[in-house]
Amino acid sequence: MINWLNKIMPNVISMGWGGDYGWWQSIYQTLFMTLFSALIGGLIGLIFAIILVLTDNDGILPNRPVFWLADKIVSVFRAVPFIILLFVISPFTHLLIGTTLGATAALVPLSLSVAPFYARQIQVVLKAVDPGKIEASQALGANNWDLLIIYMKESLPEMIRVSTVTLISLIGLTAMAGAIGSGGLGNTVVTFGQQSKYDVVWVGTILLLLLIFGIQAIGDWWAKHSNHAV
Amino acid sequence: MSDPIIDFKDVSVHFQNGSEAVDAVKNINLQIKAGEIFGIVGYSGAGKSTLVRLINLLHGPTLGDISVAHVHSVANGQVLIKGKALRQLRQKIGMIFQHFNLLDQSTVLQNVLFALKHSGLNKTARIAKAKKLIDQVGLTDRIDNYPAQLSGGQKQRVAIARALANDPEILISDEATSALDPKTTKQILQLLADLNKKTGVTIVLITHEMQVVKNIADRVAVMKNGEIIEQNATYDIFANPQKALTKEFIETASGSQEALEKVLQQPEVKQLPSNALLVELSFSGSTTGEPVISLLAKKFDVTADILYGNVESIQGIAIGTLIVVLQGSKANIQKALAEIKDRKIGLQTIKEGK
């Protein structure tokens, strides 16, 4: 068995499971980068989305300057391609983490890139909440905090759906972060691919696809089961 | 009128819609008494929705003074209450909507509980009260259902339970039956009338259907282009409408206009003989019961062929319409018409025979 595997994918086997350059380290780094940049970037994105919806003209706290500023910040960060952002913010990353290499350092550009993407998605989702529901809640004497909860609760299935989309595009970004030596499956695939070690490229790609399909399946299931509107 | 629960003095709303200035509400003076059911009728765009939203300040006025539930809420177009005071005033004013506006991701019970969030009751008391409200609208067996699992009428019942959660003094109904079928509309209106009788809640009802106010309103105002053009007790509005628009609404509600069009297509009306006259008689109150038709035959030898008839009861008083062909000698018909006028029966000649 081992002989046969050694024959068809020698480089995959020689990489090994454990160790600093093994498969587990590679998978772990991808999961680490995805999870933590999703949490940090997701939170920043969510806050921006809420600010954008509440301070918009037809929002519950209309505020032209605040909306304008938040909208421009999101637009600018959304416009910079990720591969460029990696280099542009590297001094900031160095200041924050002490290095620009490795998975932890990659969290900075990943979070800053996913935040505006997520902010726009959540903005669209929250804006789709029927204004009649907000008006009815106001008529019942709801305060702004209550209204924010209504916005989130009524759009929960859609929020789960766009979070899934965001998480999947984030996995794509972690692969690109391999370019600055962040580690992870993307980094492994790129490094070995440049050395024409295609067995590693295939196995790495399949692992990434499994991760993406897994997240998609869980996200779809959860969005569907949390939706009581149909 | 002493101590109205809703008092509007010279209230106007202007806003800018792009480059166009809109006068949504113009110089409204309106007093609504505690405990009455007040109907506001008008086509869409007449300003009804904006007007009722001034009651709970979902919309702010540009000019005028407003008092609601003994709170002076607006003076000279300036809103006097904000924050907590505004939210507390809103708790005294329930509101139901055309599209129900329930929370789709919450159950019936959760929808009603949401309204009780700031009621000051503890959790046990809130649940008990929510259950009582749901029982009051007849949905106890649906308490854990989501709105998507309910019919339109049931959704509106949940909305009513929610609107009544804080024992409001006023209930605003914004086209609440417009998305419902006629049978469900009747049931919902009956429920509102019962609640009004039982709890004394003042109901302000806006609609584009005269049928709706006919069934339950004590008084009616007709709105056009942001103004109240006519206002009276429901019976008087129907028996004696003053403005063309009011007449139009009433004709739509009674179906008499439709009936007249059909009558005019009938062959015997198309070729009306020279000794015949097509007339519409309208009866109201005490005149309805009188045997006028048989009297015309006996006393003047004028036969009356009834082509259409309708009698309905408004606030317990009957109003009727008859479309008849009178036939007899010219002189006798003139005498008959004089008799009809004497008896204070409404008379309108539609067509003379040739």
Side-chain angles (χ1 to χ4, degrees):
Chain A
M1 178 73 176
I2 295 289
N3 281 339
W4 178 68
L5 283 178
N6 250 328
K7 207 170 161 191
I8 62 160
M9 41 179 149
N11 303 303
V12 171
I13 301 299
S14 74
M15 248 181 82
W17 180 251
D20 278 355
Y21 300 99
W23 281 102
W24 170 242
Q25 182 67 7
S26 188
I27 296 167
Y28 169 79
Q29 283 172 335
T30 292
L31 292 174
F32 171 86
M33 286 188 289
T34 306
L35 181 70
F36 282 95
S37 57
L39 287 176
I40 301 164
L43 189 66
I44 298 171
L46 183 65
I47 290 168
F48 268 88
I50 289 169
I51 291 171
L52 285 169
V53 171
L54 299 190
T55 62
D56 203 352
N57 263 340
D58 53 2
I60 53 175
L61 294 167
N63 187 322
R64 204 86 202 115
V66 173
F67 177 84
W68 184 88
L69 189 66
D71 188 58
K72 287 294 168 286
I73 292 173
V74 170
S75 290
V76 167
F77 276 89
R78 184 90 184 80
V80 180
F82 180 64
I83 199 82
I84 307 286
L85 188 76
L86 282 175
F87 293 105
V88 170
I89 64 156
S90 60
F92 176 64
T93 306
H94 198 275
L95 194 74
L96 217 59
I97 311 291
T99 173
T100 56
L101 295 173
T104 309
L107 291 181
V108 179
L110 284 171
S111 301
L112 286 182
S113 185
V114 82
F117 180 78
Y118 193 56
R120 282 285 180 239
Q121 302 238 28
I122 293 291
Q123 183 190 8
V124 171
V125 165
L126 294 180
K127 282 220 94 161
V129 172
D130 180 359
K133 288 174 183 167
I134 300 300
E135 190 184 39
S137 306
Q138 282 178 314
L140 288 168
N143 59 32
N144 291 334
W145 187 249
D146 298 329
L147 296 177
L148 183 58
I149 291 169
I150 300 279
Y151 265 119
M152 310 266 270
K153 210 177 162 194
E154 283 296 300
S155 58
L156 184 65
E158 275 300 287
M159 287 190 22
I160 293 169
R161 197 185 60 75
V162 300
S163 300
T164 308
V165 171
T166 306
L167 211 52
I168 286 169
S169 82
L170 189 53
I171 292 172
L173 296 185
T174 66
M176 238 190 279
I180 58 155
S182 66
L185 285 167
N187 191 24
T188 302
V189 168
V190 169
T191 311
F192 282 78
Q194 282 163 349
Q195 300 163 20
S196 301
K197 292 174 178 169
Y198 286 106
D199 55 338
V200 174
V201 172
W202 281 111
V203 171
T205 306
I206 288 165
L207 286 174
L208 276 172
L209 286 178
L210 284 177
L211 184 59
I212 286 168
F213 289 150
I215 289 171
Q216 184 77 61
I218 293 168
D220 287 349
W221 179 87
W222 193 15
K224 198 175 157 214
H225 281 260
S226 67
N227 191 2
H228 303 289
V230 284
Chain B
M1 204 185 302
S2 66
D3 207 16
I5 194 161
I6 298 171
D7 193 355
F8 279 45
K9 288 198 181 85
D10 300 316
V11 174
S12 296
V13 177
H14 311 291
F15 51 83
Q16 200 74 22
N17 191 2
S19 59
E20 192 189 2
V22 183
D23 293 328
V25 167
K26 284 183 245 172
N27 285 317
I28 297 287
N29 282 289
L30 181 65
Q31 280 80 39
I32 296 175
K33 283 178 284 187
E36 81 174 326
I37 301 183
F38 192 89
I40 301 174
V41 182
Y43 289 120
S44 52
K48 311 178 299 266
S49 284
T50 310
L51 181 66
V52 293
R53 277 164 177 71
L54 295 170
I55 299 171
N56 55 8
L57 291 173
L58 286 175
H59 206 297
T62 313
L63 295 168
D65 271 62
I66 300 176
S67 288
V68 171
H70 315 293
V71 176
H72 192 190
S73 56
V74 175
N76 293 319
Q78 298 300 310
V79 177
L80 300 175
I81 51 168
K82 280 193 181 99
K84 198 168 183 196
L86 175 58
R87 294 199 296 275
Q88 280 170 344
L89 176 66
R90 282 176 176 166
Q91 289 185 341
K92 294 187 199 171
I93 309 164
M95 188 165 184
I96 54 175
F97 304 84
Q98 179 172 3
H99 298 298
F100 324 120
N101 295 347
L102 297 175
L103 304 178
D104 289 321
Q105 307 296 348
S106 297
T107 62
V108 168
L109 181 63
Q110 289 166 343
N111 264 286
V112 179
L113 280 176
F114 173 74
L116 288 165
K117 205 173 165 186
H118 302 290
S119 60
L121 300 170
N122 67 32
K123 200 176 176 193
T124 325
R126 288 203 300 269
I127 291 174
K129 187 166 189 190
K131 286 185 172 168
K132 204 180 116 198
L133 287 158
I134 293 164
D135 184 52
Q136 200 174 3
V137 297
L139 284 177
T140 299
D141 54 336
R142 295 293 202 159
I143 201 157
D144 290 322
N145 282 155
Y146 287 92
Q149 297 165 301
L150 304 177
S151 70
Q154 289 170 327
K155 284 181 198 168
Q156 199 57 286
R157 284 170 187 272
V158 179
I160 291 170
R162 179 177 72 168
L164 295 174
N166 295 300
D167 307 307
E169 293 175 42
I170 300 163
L171 179 64
I172 302 169
S173 164
D174 182 1
E175 299 273 8
T177 57
S178 299
L180 303 174
D181 62 65
K183 192 178 157 207
T184 313
T185 294
K186 264 202 178 141
Q187 291 168 344
I188 293 291
L189 292 176
Q190 192 55 51
L191 176 63
L192 292 179
D194 290 347
L195 289 168
N196 167 260
K197 216 175 262 172
K198 213 159 65 183
T199 66
V201 63
T202 307
I203 298 180
V204 182
L205 194 132
I206 68 177
T207 177
H208 64 277
E209 292 171 306
M210 207 67 176
Q211 197 72 35
V212 168
V213 296
K214 187 171 79 183
N215 285 321
I216 65 166
D218 299 312
R219 286 197 299 146
V220 178
V222 180
M223 272 190 92
K224 185 185 177 184
N225 298 332
E227 290 175 288
I228 292 180
I229 57 166
E230 191 168 355
Q231 170 175 184
N232 215 333
T234 308
Y235 174 79
D236 292 317
I237 282 269
F238 275 86
N240 197 13
Q242 300 299 312
K243 295 286 195 311
L245 179 68
T246 314
K247 287 177 189 163
E248 198 178 303
F249 272 116
I250 292 167
E251 279 162 4
T252 322
S254 67
S256 68
Q257 196 59 37
E258 228 172 290
L260 183 61
E261 274 160 30
K262 276 186 195 153
V263 164
L264 288 171
Q265 295 306 312
Q266 287 177 14
E268 55 176 309
V269 173
K270 274 189 165 170
Q271 290 121 33
L272 207 62
S274 63
N275 64 342
L277 194 63
L278 182 70
V279 295
E280 183 180 311
L281 306 177
S282 17
F283 307 84
S284 58
S286 54
T287 60
T288 28
E290 294 183 30
V292 182
I293 303 295
S294 63
L295 189 83
L296 296 179
K298 277 187 212 153
K299 203 166 163 188
F300 307 109
D301 200 20
V302 170
T303 61
D305 186 6
I306 302 173
L307 300 180
Y308 167 81
N310 180 45
V311 180
E312 50 199 351
S313 167
I314 294 164
Q315 293 183 298
I317 310 171
I319 288 184
T321 307
L322 279 182
I323 297 176
V324 295
V325 177
L326 299 177
Q327 216 161 349
S329 72
K330 267 218 164 86
N332 282 346
I333 285 185
Q334 285 314 313
K335 281 186 211 160
L337 293 180
E339 175 80 21
I340 289 168
K341 279 181 188 158
D342 265 5
R343 289 173 175 267
K344 306 237 183 299
I345 293 168
L347 172 70
Q348 198 189 346
T349 304
I350 300 165
K351 194 175 175 184
E352 285 177 57
K354 278 175 190 158

